[in-house]
Structure formats: structure tokens, C-alpha cells
Amino acid sequence: MNNMIFFLFIILLSLSSLQIQSQTIPRNISIFILAGQSNMAGRGGVYNDTAKNITVWDGVIPRECRSNPSILRLTAKLEWEEADEPLHADIDVNKTNGVGPGMPFANRVVNRFGYVGLVPCSIGGTKLSQWQKGQFLYEETVRRAKAAMVASGGGSYQAVLWYQGESDTVDMVDASVYKKRLVQFFSDLRNDLQHPNLPIIQVALATGAGPYLDAVRKAQLETGLDNVHCVDAKGLPLEPDGLHLTTSSQVRLGQMMVEAFLAIPNSAELHSGFSVLVLFCLFFL
């Protein structure tokens, strides 16, 4: 009799565990796609350790970037886990990652959407030409974005957050065709995600790696596409390298992107279920 009670207890415990596990699987996903270069993925708090001759992250996490059980991210293995900084640790594996705008953005919208998911897809040092349809980075981004929906049992895309272009300020040709490539990228991404009017919130560059910063910024500010909204990072404090935003600047940028997103009609409506932030961030260092 005691053995029977014991086995019944084990069965009930197992069923309880399965129920808890099933409840943690995100459903009805609202997907936010965050894309860009190193500043989107995060270099806040990253510095050169001259004593060891390596680049390290200081590990400082502001309260705006804190972890939350309701904020998840899709790992490199396409599995959900609780999100924490640095978000791109297992994605941009050849770089040192720090604080970016993803977590402050997520923490601002999580109460509106119930759950937020982050899907980092960023690789450093790449140009916009490497993000055109048919290129590895583009196809990998679409694959991970679609996998986020599959892993959660379905959902809908809500917006793209995009911050890229520093690498395209180096060469005159890249800068001159940046607008054409950017429009093509946005259009292809919308088409492949089957969301022709997917809201896009992009960041006008704060800095550039070359002399054609103004040309790229002009293209970003004047895409001419419907439902593309731009926030300007120019003037935000930079790390000593003069290229990357500081931790406090990343927090501010995330808040600016939230403000732009919530200004879109109907974007502030409360959704039940899960919101996914897909991060595509290109690093140039």
C-alpha cells in the first residue's frame, strides 16, 4: 500500500512538472525584430584590458536591463531561456558583447505584452551588402525569426528594430547605394515574414567608421517607405573608442525606440501571450 501511494505521488509530481513546463512555453507570439550593428547588439561597458591585452565587459547591468522571468531569448540552438545581458554571447561568438538596447526595450514593453522574447542574430563587422536576400546573414535571420514562431506555437510579428550602417561609412560606393540596399532589405524582410506593412523602427547613426557618415545618415532619415520610423542616436555619449554607445546611452536608446514604437497607432494595445524581439546586430569591431 505504501509503495502504491509512493508511485501515485511520483506520477502526480511528474504530471505537475509537465504542466508547469507547458505553461512556460510561449504562445501567441508578438515578435519584435531588432536589427543593426554592434551598437544594437551592445558594446556598453566593453573596454580594453591593457594588462591582459584583451577586450572585456565590465559586467555592470543597470536596473533597466535587469532579467525578468517574462523576458526570454532564443539561443543559438533555437531554445528559449530567460534573457540576460549580454544577449549575443552565443551568437556573435568572436566578439565581446555588453549592454545593448534590447533589454531596456523589453523591460519597458513587457507589462503591455505579458511576455517578451529576444531573438539575437547579430554578427560584427558586416556591411549592409551582406544582409541582402540570398546572403548568409539575411537567410539566417529569416530562419531564426521563423523558428521563434515555431518554437512558441505560432504568433505574429510586431516590429523590426534596426540599427546598422557604421561599416558602410568607410567606402563611397557603399554609402552611395545605402538607401537602395536598405529599402531592398526592409522590403525583402517584410515579404519573407509575410508582413508587408511590418513596422520598422531604425536608428540614425551616432558615429561612423569612415568619412561618409552624413551620406548614410541621410539615407536612414529618408527611406520613403511607409511605416518606417527613425530615432536619432546622434549626440548620445560614446565609449572611449568613439564608436560605441556607453551603457547609459544604450539604456536611453532602448527607451527612445520604445517611445517610437508606442507612437504607432494600435501598437500600445495590450496583447496576451508572448512578444519576441529578434535582434539582428552587425558589429564592426
Side-chain angles (χ1 to χ4, degrees):
M1 186 65 178
N2 289 337
N3 287 338
M4 180 65 71
I5 294 175
F6 175 76
F7 285 124
L8 286 174
F9 174 77
I10 293 298
I11 291 173
L12 289 173
L13 182 62
S14 298
L15 291 175
S16 177
S17 297
L18 288 174
Q19 184 178 15
I20 293 172
Q21 184 178 18
S22 67
Q23 290 174 348
T24 62
I25 298 174
R27 302 289 179 181
N28 302 321
I29 303 175
S30 298
I31 301 176
F32 293 82
I33 303 173
L34 283 71
Q37 250 181 277
S38 55
N39 278 311
M40 173 61 80
R43 291 294 190 270
V46 174
Y47 67 97
N48 292 322
D49 187 332
T50 55
K52 298 180 180 179
N53 195 29
I54 57 174
T55 302
V56 298
W57 173 48
D58 62 16
V60 176
I61 302 177
R63 63 178 182 83
E64 295 89 347
C65 303
R66 65 192 182 280
S67 297
N68 183 319
S70 296
I71 301 175
L72 308 180
R73 76 173 198 106
L74 195 71
T75 69
K77 296 180 179 181
L78 307 181
E79 298 172 346
W80 290 115
E81 69 176 14
E82 185 173 328
D84 57 10
E85 299 284 13
L87 294 174
H88 281 75
D90 65 342
I91 302 297
D92 192 40
V93 295
N94 293 319
K95 304 293 180 180
T96 301
N97 300 282
V99 172
M103 286 302 289
F105 184 97
N107 273 299
R108 281 285 300 274
V109 300
V110 66
N111 290 334
R112 294 177 179 270
F113 292 94
Y115 287 91
V116 167
L118 309 173
V119 185
C121 304
S122 313
I123 301 297
T126 52
K127 296 181 179 181
L128 186 53
S129 60
Q130 296 173 269
W131 284 80
Q132 301 298 286
K133 185 177 175 66
Q135 297 296 316
F136 173 79
L137 294 177
Y138 176 90
E139 301 301 331
E140 182 68 4
T141 291
V142 172
R143 183 182 77 90
R144 284 179 56 78
K146 291 181 176 180
M149 294 185 68
V150 172
S152 307
S156 62
Y157 300 105
Q158 295 297 321
V160 175
L161 309 186
W162 170 259
Y163 186 176
Q164 188 277 335
E166 291 92 341
S167 295
D168 291 270
T169 67
V170 177
D171 183 79
M172 182 177 65
V173 174
D174 288 330
S176 65
V177 297
Y178 189 85
K179 181 176 179 178
K180 178 180 179 181
R181 287 173 175 169
L182 187 64
V183 169
Q184 190 65 55
F185 171 71
F186 288 162
S187 300
D188 287 337
L189 190 60
R190 282 171 162 174
N191 183 63
D192 284 338
L193 297 181
Q194 299 181 348
H195 197 320
N197 198 39
L198 181 63
I200 297 172
I201 301 172
Q202 69 160 333
V203 181
L205 294 180
T207 60
Y212 302 104
L213 173 62
D214 290 341
V216 173
R217 278 178 50 83
K218 187 176 189 300
Q220 294 170 332
L221 292 165
E222 302 173 0
T223 62
L225 290 176
D226 290 336
N227 219 12
V228 174
H229 312 269
C230 193
V231 300
D232 199 340
K234 190 172 184 179
L236 291 177
L238 303 173
E239 296 284 4
D241 62 12
L243 294 172
H244 297 109
L245 300 181
T246 64
T247 296
S248 60
S249 293
Q250 291 286 12
V251 171
R252 177 57 189 143
L253 178 62
Q255 294 169 342
M256 291 166 61
M257 300 183 88
V258 169
E259 292 163 3
F261 171 69
L262 295 181
I264 301 172
N266 301 321
S267 66
E269 292 181 355
L270 181 63
H271 294 264
S272 61
F274 185 85
S275 301
V276 176
L277 300 162
V278 184
L279 301 118
F280 315 140
C281 314
L282 316 179
F283 301 130
F284 52 88
L285 287 183

PDB file of all heavy atoms in Angstrom, residues 205-241:
ATOM      1  N   LEU A 205      22.532  56.809 -37.403  1.00  0.00           N
ATOM      2  CA  LEU A 205      23.843  56.586 -36.796  1.00  0.00           C
ATOM      3  C   LEU A 205      24.288  57.707 -35.859  1.00  0.00           C
ATOM      4  O   LEU A 205      24.101  58.883 -36.138  1.00  0.00           O
ATOM      5  CB  LEU A 205      24.904  56.428 -37.881  1.00  0.00           C
ATOM      6  CG  LEU A 205      24.819  55.199 -38.786  1.00  0.00           C
ATOM      7  CD1 LEU A 205      25.964  55.232 -39.803  1.00  0.00           C
ATOM      8  CD2 LEU A 205      24.874  53.915 -37.975  1.00  0.00           C
ATOM      9  N   ALA A 206      24.915  57.292 -34.777  1.00  0.00           N
ATOM     10  CA  ALA A 206      25.569  58.250 -33.880  1.00  0.00           C
ATOM     11  C   ALA A 206      26.988  58.522 -34.354  1.00  0.00           C
ATOM     12  O   ALA A 206      27.503  59.626 -34.211  1.00  0.00           O
ATOM     13  CB  ALA A 206      25.590  57.703 -32.456  1.00  0.00           C
ATOM     14  N   THR A 207      27.621  57.486 -34.896  1.00  0.00           N
ATOM     15  CA  THR A 207      29.014  57.585 -35.334  1.00  0.00           C
ATOM     16  C   THR A 207      29.210  56.744 -36.590  1.00  0.00           C
ATOM     17  O   THR A 207      28.327  55.989 -36.996  1.00  0.00           O
ATOM     18  CB  THR A 207      29.973  57.048 -34.256  1.00  0.00           C
ATOM     19  OG1 THR A 207      29.657  55.662 -34.006  1.00  0.00           O
ATOM     20  CG2 THR A 207      29.837  57.822 -32.964  1.00  0.00           C
ATOM     21  N   GLY A 208      30.384  56.853 -37.161  1.00  0.00           N
ATOM     22  CA  GLY A 208      30.730  56.041 -38.318  1.00  0.00           C
ATOM     23  C   GLY A 208      32.182  55.646 -38.284  1.00  0.00           C
ATOM     24  O   GLY A 208      33.003  56.288 -37.627  1.00  0.00           O
ATOM     25  N   ALA A 209      32.499  54.569 -39.009  1.00  0.00           N
ATOM     26  CA  ALA A 209      33.882  54.104 -39.067  1.00  0.00           C
ATOM     27  C   ALA A 209      34.663  54.777 -40.185  1.00  0.00           C
ATOM     28  O   ALA A 209      35.862  54.535 -40.342  1.00  0.00           O
ATOM     29  CB  ALA A 209      33.903  52.586 -39.254  1.00  0.00           C
ATOM     30  N   GLY A 210      33.987  55.619 -40.984  1.00  0.00           N
ATOM     31  CA  GLY A 210      34.642  56.263 -42.113  1.00  0.00           C
ATOM     32  C   GLY A 210      34.105  57.664 -42.363  1.00  0.00           C
ATOM     33  O   GLY A 210      33.301  58.188 -41.576  1.00  0.00           O
ATOM     34  N   PRO A 211      34.487  58.272 -43.489  1.00  0.00           N
ATOM     35  CA  PRO A 211      34.163  59.680 -43.751  1.00  0.00           C
ATOM     36  C   PRO A 211      32.773  59.935 -44.334  1.00  0.00           C
ATOM     37  O   PRO A 211      32.410  61.093 -44.548  1.00  0.00           O
ATOM     38  CB  PRO A 211      35.240  60.095 -44.752  1.00  0.00           C
ATOM     39  CG  PRO A 211      35.534  58.838 -45.513  1.00  0.00           C
ATOM     40  CD  PRO A 211      35.413  57.719 -44.498  1.00  0.00           C
ATOM     41  N   TYR A 212      32.012  58.882 -44.613  1.00  0.00           N
ATOM     42  CA  TYR A 212      30.728  59.072 -45.305  1.00  0.00           C
ATOM     43  C   TYR A 212      29.526  58.911 -44.365  1.00  0.00           C
ATOM     44  O   TYR A 212      28.470  58.409 -44.755  1.00  0.00           O
ATOM     45  CB  TYR A 212      30.631  58.112 -46.488  1.00  0.00           C
ATOM     46  CG  TYR A 212      31.760  58.295 -47.469  1.00  0.00           C
ATOM     47  CD1 TYR A 212      32.828  57.394 -47.515  1.00  0.00           C
ATOM     48  CD2 TYR A 212      31.786  59.397 -48.326  1.00  0.00           C
ATOM     49  CE1 TYR A 212      33.874  57.573 -48.398  1.00  0.00           C
ATOM     50  CE2 TYR A 212      32.832  59.591 -49.211  1.00  0.00           C
ATOM     51  CZ  TYR A 212      33.878  58.679 -49.243  1.00  0.00           C
ATOM     52  OH  TYR A 212      34.928  58.859 -50.118  1.00  0.00           O
ATOM     53  N   LEU A 213      29.694  59.348 -43.136  1.00  0.00           N
ATOM     54  CA  LEU A 213      28.642  59.241 -42.128  1.00  0.00           C
ATOM     55  C   LEU A 213      27.384  60.000 -42.542  1.00  0.00           C
ATOM     56  O   LEU A 213      26.269  59.482 -42.438  1.00  0.00           O
ATOM     57  CB  LEU A 213      29.159  59.769 -40.790  1.00  0.00           C
ATOM     58  CG  LEU A 213      28.124  59.888 -39.658  1.00  0.00           C
ATOM     59  CD1 LEU A 213      27.545  58.523 -39.302  1.00  0.00           C
ATOM     60  CD2 LEU A 213      28.764  60.553 -38.432  1.00  0.00           C
ATOM     61  N   ASP A 214      27.558  61.221 -43.024  1.00  0.00           N
ATOM     62  CA  ASP A 214      26.403  62.041 -43.372  1.00  0.00           C
ATOM     63  C   ASP A 214      25.574  61.411 -44.483  1.00  0.00           C
ATOM     64  O   ASP A 214      24.338  61.498 -44.471  1.00  0.00           O
ATOM     65  CB  ASP A 214      26.846  63.446 -43.776  1.00  0.00           C
ATOM     66  CG  ASP A 214      27.384  64.254 -42.606  1.00  0.00           C
ATOM     67  OD1 ASP A 214      27.083  63.881 -41.450  1.00  0.00           O
ATOM     68  OD2 ASP A 214      28.098  65.250 -42.842  1.00  0.00           O
ATOM     69  N   ALA A 215      26.233  60.782 -45.457  1.00  0.00           N
ATOM     70  CA  ALA A 215      25.513  60.165 -46.568  1.00  0.00           C
ATOM     71  C   ALA A 215      24.647  59.005 -46.082  1.00  0.00           C
ATOM     72  O   ALA A 215      23.501  58.840 -46.517  1.00  0.00           O
ATOM     73  CB  ALA A 215      26.501  59.685 -47.630  1.00  0.00           C
ATOM     74  N   VAL A 216      25.195  58.210 -45.181  1.00  0.00           N
ATOM     75  CA  VAL A 216      24.441  57.077 -44.655  1.00  0.00           C
ATOM     76  C   VAL A 216      23.291  57.570 -43.778  1.00  0.00           C
ATOM     77  O   VAL A 216      22.164  57.059 -43.855  1.00  0.00           O
ATOM     78  CB  VAL A 216      25.360  56.116 -43.871  1.00  0.00           C
ATOM     79  CG1 VAL A 216      24.549  55.035 -43.171  1.00  0.00           C
ATOM     80  CG2 VAL A 216      26.381  55.481 -44.809  1.00  0.00           C
ATOM     81  N   ARG A 217      23.566  58.554 -42.936  1.00  0.00           N
ATOM     82  CA  ARG A 217      22.514  59.108 -42.088  1.00  0.00           C
ATOM     83  C   ARG A 217      21.368  59.682 -42.930  1.00  0.00           C
ATOM     84  O   ARG A 217      20.185  59.500 -42.584  1.00  0.00           O
ATOM     85  CB  ARG A 217      23.082  60.210 -41.177  1.00  0.00           C
ATOM     86  CG  ARG A 217      23.774  59.694 -39.921  1.00  0.00           C
ATOM     87  CD  ARG A 217      24.363  60.844 -39.100  1.00  0.00           C
ATOM     88  NE  ARG A 217      23.410  61.906 -38.858  1.00  0.00           N
ATOM     89  CZ  ARG A 217      22.503  61.898 -37.869  1.00  0.00           C
ATOM     90  NH1 ARG A 217      22.431  60.848 -37.052  1.00  0.00           N
ATOM     91  NH2 ARG A 217      21.691  62.915 -37.709  1.00  0.00           N
ATOM     92  N   LYS A 218      21.692  60.364 -43.992  1.00  0.00           N
ATOM     93  CA  LYS A 218      20.664  60.938 -44.872  1.00  0.00           C
ATOM     94  C   LYS A 218      19.768  59.831 -45.433  1.00  0.00           C
ATOM     95  O   LYS A 218      18.541  59.969 -45.479  1.00  0.00           O
ATOM     96  CB  LYS A 218      21.315  61.715 -46.010  1.00  0.00           C
ATOM     97  CG  LYS A 218      20.328  62.491 -46.881  1.00  0.00           C
ATOM     98  CD  LYS A 218      21.083  63.323 -47.922  1.00  0.00           C
ATOM     99  CE  LYS A 218      20.133  64.277 -48.657  1.00  0.00           C
ATOM    100  NZ  LYS A 218      19.053  63.603 -49.364  1.00  0.00           N
ATOM    101  N   ALA A 219      20.383  58.734 -45.842  1.00  0.00           N
ATOM    102  CA  ALA A 219      19.619  57.607 -46.372  1.00  0.00           C
ATOM    103  C   ALA A 219      18.699  57.023 -45.303  1.00  0.00           C
ATOM    104  O   ALA A 219      17.543  56.666 -45.580  1.00  0.00           O
ATOM    105  CB  ALA A 219      20.565  56.535 -46.898  1.00  0.00           C
ATOM    106  N   GLN A 220      19.190  56.946 -44.094  1.00  0.00           N
ATOM    107  CA  GLN A 220      18.387  56.388 -42.998  1.00  0.00           C
ATOM    108  C   GLN A 220      17.206  57.274 -42.648  1.00  0.00           C
ATOM    109  O   GLN A 220      16.122  56.781 -42.322  1.00  0.00           O
ATOM    110  CB  GLN A 220      19.275  56.181 -41.765  1.00  0.00           C
ATOM    111  CG  GLN A 220      20.349  55.127 -41.958  1.00  0.00           C
ATOM    112  CD  GLN A 220      21.367  55.109 -40.835  1.00  0.00           C
ATOM    113  OE1 GLN A 220      21.611  56.131 -40.190  1.00  0.00           O
ATOM    114  NE2 GLN A 220      21.960  53.954 -40.603  1.00  0.00           N
ATOM    115  N   LEU A 221      17.410  58.567 -42.695  1.00  0.00           N
ATOM    116  CA  LEU A 221      16.362  59.510 -42.333  1.00  0.00           C
ATOM    117  C   LEU A 221      15.332  59.712 -43.432  1.00  0.00           C
ATOM    118  O   LEU A 221      14.262  60.284 -43.186  1.00  0.00           O
ATOM    119  CB  LEU A 221      16.992  60.858 -41.967  1.00  0.00           C
ATOM    120  CG  LEU A 221      17.827  60.880 -40.682  1.00  0.00           C
ATOM    121  CD1 LEU A 221      18.695  62.129 -40.617  1.00  0.00           C
ATOM    122  CD2 LEU A 221      16.913  60.791 -39.464  1.00  0.00           C
ATOM    123  N   GLU A 222      15.650  59.232 -44.662  1.00  0.00           N
ATOM    124  CA  GLU A 222      14.767  59.491 -45.803  1.00  0.00           C
ATOM    125  C   GLU A 222      14.530  58.230 -46.631  1.00  0.00           C
ATOM    126  O   GLU A 222      14.684  58.228 -47.843  1.00  0.00           O
ATOM    127  CB  GLU A 222      15.367  60.587 -46.692  1.00  0.00           C
ATOM    128  CG  GLU A 222      15.620  61.909 -45.975  1.00  0.00           C
ATOM    129  CD  GLU A 222      16.364  62.912 -46.843  1.00  0.00           C
ATOM    130  OE1 GLU A 222      16.678  62.577 -48.012  1.00  0.00           O
ATOM    131  OE2 GLU A 222      16.621  64.026 -46.355  1.00  0.00           O
ATOM    132  N   THR A 223      14.095  57.156 -45.986  1.00  0.00           N
ATOM    133  CA  THR A 223      13.860  55.914 -46.740  1.00  0.00           C
ATOM    134  C   THR A 223      12.664  56.039 -47.667  1.00  0.00           C
ATOM    135  O   THR A 223      12.632  55.403 -48.730  1.00  0.00           O
ATOM    136  CB  THR A 223      13.605  54.731 -45.794  1.00  0.00           C
ATOM    137  OG1 THR A 223      12.424  54.977 -45.028  1.00  0.00           O
ATOM    138  CG2 THR A 223      14.790  54.517 -44.858  1.00  0.00           C
ATOM    139  N   GLY A 224      11.678  56.818 -47.290  1.00  0.00           N
ATOM    140  CA  GLY A 224      10.499  56.979 -48.118  1.00  0.00           C
ATOM    141  C   GLY A 224       9.510  55.829 -48.014  1.00  0.00           C
ATOM    142  O   GLY A 224       8.488  55.824 -48.705  1.00  0.00           O
ATOM    143  N   LEU A 225       9.779  54.855 -47.160  1.00  0.00           N
ATOM    144  CA  LEU A 225       8.895  53.709 -47.002  1.00  0.00           C
ATOM    145  C   LEU A 225       7.825  53.987 -45.952  1.00  0.00           C
ATOM    146  O   LEU A 225       8.084  54.650 -44.943  1.00  0.00           O
ATOM    147  CB  LEU A 225       9.689  52.472 -46.583  1.00  0.00           C
ATOM    148  CG  LEU A 225      10.619  51.851 -47.622  1.00  0.00           C
ATOM    149  CD1 LEU A 225      11.403  50.700 -47.002  1.00  0.00           C
ATOM    150  CD2 LEU A 225       9.828  51.362 -48.828  1.00  0.00           C
ATOM    151  N   ASP A 226       6.636  53.468 -46.198  1.00  0.00           N
ATOM    152  CA  ASP A 226       5.567  53.600 -45.220  1.00  0.00           C
ATOM    153  C   ASP A 226       5.886  52.793 -43.970  1.00  0.00           C
ATOM    154  O   ASP A 226       6.488  51.717 -44.042  1.00  0.00           O
ATOM    155  CB  ASP A 226       4.242  53.106 -45.808  1.00  0.00           C
ATOM    156  CG  ASP A 226       3.708  54.019 -46.893  1.00  0.00           C
ATOM    157  OD1 ASP A 226       4.078  55.218 -46.894  1.00  0.00           O
ATOM    158  OD2 ASP A 226       2.925  53.545 -47.748  1.00  0.00           O
ATOM    159  N   ASN A 227       5.473  53.312 -42.846  1.00  0.00           N
ATOM    160  CA  ASN A 227       5.599  52.638 -41.554  1.00  0.00           C
ATOM    161  C   ASN A 227       7.044  52.345 -41.168  1.00  0.00           C
ATOM    162  O   ASN A 227       7.344  51.358 -40.502  1.00  0.00           O
ATOM    163  CB  ASN A 227       4.778  51.343 -41.519  1.00  0.00           C
ATOM    164  CG  ASN A 227       4.107  51.130 -40.176  1.00  0.00           C
ATOM    165  OD1 ASN A 227       4.059  52.032 -39.333  1.00  0.00           O
ATOM    166  ND2 ASN A 227       3.591  49.934 -39.955  1.00  0.00           N
ATOM    167  N   VAL A 228       7.965  53.210 -41.624  1.00  0.00           N
ATOM    168  CA  VAL A 228       9.356  53.170 -41.174  1.00  0.00           C
ATOM    169  C   VAL A 228       9.596  54.432 -40.345  1.00  0.00           C
ATOM    170  O   VAL A 228       9.443  55.544 -40.837  1.00  0.00           O
ATOM    171  CB  VAL A 228      10.350  53.108 -42.348  1.00  0.00           C
ATOM    172  CG1 VAL A 228      11.784  53.225 -41.834  1.00  0.00           C
ATOM    173  CG2 VAL A 228      10.182  51.806 -43.120  1.00  0.00           C
ATOM    174  N   HIS A 229       9.963  54.244 -39.093  1.00  0.00           N
ATOM    175  CA  HIS A 229      10.103  55.353 -38.153  1.00  0.00           C
ATOM    176  C   HIS A 229      11.548  55.418 -37.658  1.00  0.00           C
ATOM    177  O   HIS A 229      12.143  54.394 -37.342  1.00  0.00           O
ATOM    178  CB  HIS A 229       9.145  55.162 -36.978  1.00  0.00           C
ATOM    179  CG  HIS A 229       7.755  54.833 -37.406  1.00  0.00           C
ATOM    180  ND1 HIS A 229       6.790  55.786 -37.638  1.00  0.00           N
ATOM    181  CD2 HIS A 229       7.162  53.621 -37.672  1.00  0.00           C
ATOM    182  CE1 HIS A 229       5.665  55.200 -38.020  1.00  0.00           C
ATOM    183  NE2 HIS A 229       5.864  53.893 -38.041  1.00  0.00           N
ATOM    184  N   CYS A 230      12.101  56.619 -37.597  1.00  0.00           N
ATOM    185  CA  CYS A 230      13.524  56.770 -37.291  1.00  0.00           C
ATOM    186  C   CYS A 230      13.740  57.529 -35.984  1.00  0.00           C
ATOM    187  O   CYS A 230      13.090  58.545 -35.723  1.00  0.00           O
ATOM    188  CB  CYS A 230      14.222  57.506 -38.436  1.00  0.00           C
ATOM    189  SG  CYS A 230      16.016  57.431 -38.380  1.00  0.00           S
ATOM    190  N   VAL A 231      14.650  57.005 -35.154  1.00  0.00           N
ATOM    191  CA  VAL A 231      15.114  57.730 -33.971  1.00  0.00           C
ATOM    192  C   VAL A 231      16.589  58.055 -34.187  1.00  0.00           C
ATOM    193  O   VAL A 231      17.306  57.298 -34.831  1.00  0.00           O
ATOM    194  CB  VAL A 231      14.921  56.913 -32.677  1.00  0.00           C
ATOM    195  CG1 VAL A 231      13.447  56.596 -32.471  1.00  0.00           C
ATOM    196  CG2 VAL A 231      15.732  55.637 -32.697  1.00  0.00           C
ATOM    197  N   ASP A 232      17.033  59.171 -33.656  1.00  0.00           N
ATOM    198  CA  ASP A 232      18.386  59.655 -33.934  1.00  0.00           C
ATOM    199  C   ASP A 232      19.300  59.457 -32.719  1.00  0.00           C
ATOM    200  O   ASP A 232      19.046  59.989 -31.640  1.00  0.00           O
ATOM    201  CB  ASP A 232      18.334  61.132 -34.303  1.00  0.00           C
ATOM    202  CG  ASP A 232      19.576  61.593 -35.038  1.00  0.00           C
ATOM    203  OD1 ASP A 232      20.622  60.915 -34.934  1.00  0.00           O
ATOM    204  OD2 ASP A 232      19.519  62.634 -35.721  1.00  0.00           O
ATOM    205  N   ALA A 233      20.360  58.681 -32.908  1.00  0.00           N
ATOM    206  CA  ALA A 233      21.309  58.411 -31.823  1.00  0.00           C
ATOM    207  C   ALA A 233      22.412  59.460 -31.741  1.00  0.00           C
ATOM    208  O   ALA A 233      23.232  59.419 -30.820  1.00  0.00           O
ATOM    209  CB  ALA A 233      21.938  57.026 -32.015  1.00  0.00           C
ATOM    210  N   LYS A 234      22.437  60.383 -32.685  1.00  0.00           N
ATOM    211  CA  LYS A 234      23.498  61.387 -32.695  1.00  0.00           C
ATOM    212  C   LYS A 234      23.464  62.210 -31.420  1.00  0.00           C
ATOM    213  O   LYS A 234      22.415  62.694 -30.995  1.00  0.00           O
ATOM    214  CB  LYS A 234      23.350  62.311 -33.907  1.00  0.00           C
ATOM    215  CG  LYS A 234      24.550  63.221 -34.129  1.00  0.00           C
ATOM    216  CD  LYS A 234      24.432  63.977 -35.441  1.00  0.00           C
ATOM    217  CE  LYS A 234      25.674  64.819 -35.703  1.00  0.00           C
ATOM    218  NZ  LYS A 234      25.575  65.550 -37.001  1.00  0.00           N
ATOM    219  N   GLY A 235      24.614  62.339 -30.783  1.00  0.00           N
ATOM    220  CA  GLY A 235      24.713  63.103 -29.552  1.00  0.00           C
ATOM    221  C   GLY A 235      24.706  62.262 -28.290  1.00  0.00           C
ATOM    222  O   GLY A 235      25.039  62.773 -27.221  1.00  0.00           O
ATOM    223  N   LEU A 236      24.361  60.975 -28.409  1.00  0.00           N
ATOM    224  CA  LEU A 236      24.415  60.106 -27.233  1.00  0.00           C
ATOM    225  C   LEU A 236      25.885  59.854 -26.870  1.00  0.00           C
ATOM    226  O   LEU A 236      26.726  59.683 -27.752  1.00  0.00           O
ATOM    227  CB  LEU A 236      23.717  58.776 -27.522  1.00  0.00           C
ATOM    228  CG  LEU A 236      22.195  58.828 -27.697  1.00  0.00           C
ATOM    229  CD1 LEU A 236      21.654  57.445 -28.057  1.00  0.00           C
ATOM    230  CD2 LEU A 236      21.512  59.348 -26.433  1.00  0.00           C
ATOM    231  N   PRO A 237      26.222  59.847 -25.580  1.00  0.00           N
ATOM    232  CA  PRO A 237      27.617  59.637 -25.154  1.00  0.00           C
ATOM    233  C   PRO A 237      28.182  58.319 -25.665  1.00  0.00           C
ATOM    234  O   PRO A 237      27.478  57.308 -25.754  1.00  0.00           O
ATOM    235  CB  PRO A 237      27.509  59.644 -23.624  1.00  0.00           C
ATOM    236  CG  PRO A 237      26.301  60.470 -23.342  1.00  0.00           C
ATOM    237  CD  PRO A 237      25.331  60.155 -24.443  1.00  0.00           C
ATOM    238  N   LEU A 238      29.484  58.345 -25.983  1.00  0.00           N
ATOM    239  CA  LEU A 238      30.169  57.193 -26.557  1.00  0.00           C
ATOM    240  C   LEU A 238      31.226  56.645 -25.610  1.00  0.00           C
ATOM    241  O   LEU A 238      31.721  57.341 -24.727  1.00  0.00           O
ATOM    242  CB  LEU A 238      30.832  57.589 -27.878  1.00  0.00           C
ATOM    243  CG  LEU A 238      29.933  58.183 -28.964  1.00  0.00           C
ATOM    244  CD1 LEU A 238      30.781  58.673 -30.131  1.00  0.00           C
ATOM    245  CD2 LEU A 238      28.908  57.157 -29.440  1.00  0.00           C
ATOM    246  N   GLU A 239      31.562  55.380 -25.838  1.00  0.00           N
ATOM    247  CA  GLU A 239      32.686  54.771 -25.138  1.00  0.00           C
ATOM    248  C   GLU A 239      33.984  55.453 -25.597  1.00  0.00           C
ATOM    249  O   GLU A 239      33.997  56.174 -26.605  1.00  0.00           O
ATOM    250  CB  GLU A 239      32.744  53.271 -25.440  1.00  0.00           C
ATOM    251  CG  GLU A 239      31.549  52.469 -24.929  1.00  0.00           C
ATOM    252  CD  GLU A 239      31.606  52.237 -23.429  1.00  0.00           C
ATOM    253  OE1 GLU A 239      32.523  52.761 -22.774  1.00  0.00           O
ATOM    254  OE2 GLU A 239      30.717  51.523 -22.914  1.00  0.00           O
ATOM    255  N   PRO A 240      35.096  55.243 -24.894  1.00  0.00           N
ATOM    256  CA  PRO A 240      36.371  55.872 -25.288  1.00  0.00           C
ATOM    257  C   PRO A 240      36.808  55.561 -26.714  1.00  0.00           C
ATOM    258  O   PRO A 240      37.585  56.326 -27.305  1.00  0.00           O
ATOM    259  CB  PRO A 240      37.361  55.286 -24.278  1.00  0.00           C
ATOM    260  CG  PRO A 240      36.539  55.025 -23.063  1.00  0.00           C
ATOM    261  CD  PRO A 240      35.210  54.546 -23.599  1.00  0.00           C
ATOM    262  N   ASP A 241      36.314  54.460 -27.312  1.00  0.00           N
ATOM    263  CA  ASP A 241      36.703  54.143 -28.684  1.00  0.00           C
ATOM    264  C   ASP A 241      36.068  55.084 -29.698  1.00  0.00           C
ATOM    265  O   ASP A 241      36.427  55.093 -30.878  1.00  0.00           O
ATOM    266  CB  ASP A 241      36.375  52.695 -29.040  1.00  0.00           C
ATOM    267  CG  ASP A 241      34.887  52.361 -28.969  1.00  0.00           C
ATOM    268  OD1 ASP A 241      34.056  53.294 -28.869  1.00  0.00           O
ATOM    269  OD2 ASP A 241      34.546  51.162 -29.021  1.00  0.00           O
TER     270      ASP A 241
END
